[in-house]
Amino acid sequence: MSIQSYFDFVIFPILTLSAFLVLIRLIKGPDVVDRVVALDLVITIGIATIAAYSIRTKQAIYLDVAMMLALIAFLGTIAFSYYINQKNNND
């Protein structure tokens, strides 16, 4: 089994299945915190998909895109946690 077929038949289907399951949690999440964690996990799965695609195609430029997406996701998570903290302090 070559590395390309391993990516095609093992890694990408697992990432797709995990993204689908996390999207279900994002939609059904009973609380805002659950939805924030699910959104962060969707972005993390997207970063893993970009990194796997970068390895499969042997083009390192996609890793720069994944790094920028990771930074934006981190800042978004910090902003959501700050918002939730402020909302809980005001109540």
Side-chain angles (χ1 to χ4, degrees), residues 31-47:
D31 199 13
V32 175
V33 177
D34 294 327
R35 290 189 171 114
V36 169
V37 170
L39 183 64
D40 191 43
L41 190 56
V42 166
I43 294 171
T44 304
I45 292 169
I47 292 167

Side-chain angles (χ1 to χ4, degrees), residues 9-26:
F9 297 121
V10 177
I11 294 175
F12 287 131
I14 289 173
L15 287 172
T16 304
L17 179 65
S18 62
F20 178 72
L21 293 173
V22 171
L23 283 174
I24 290 173
R25 175 51 56 196
L26 182 66

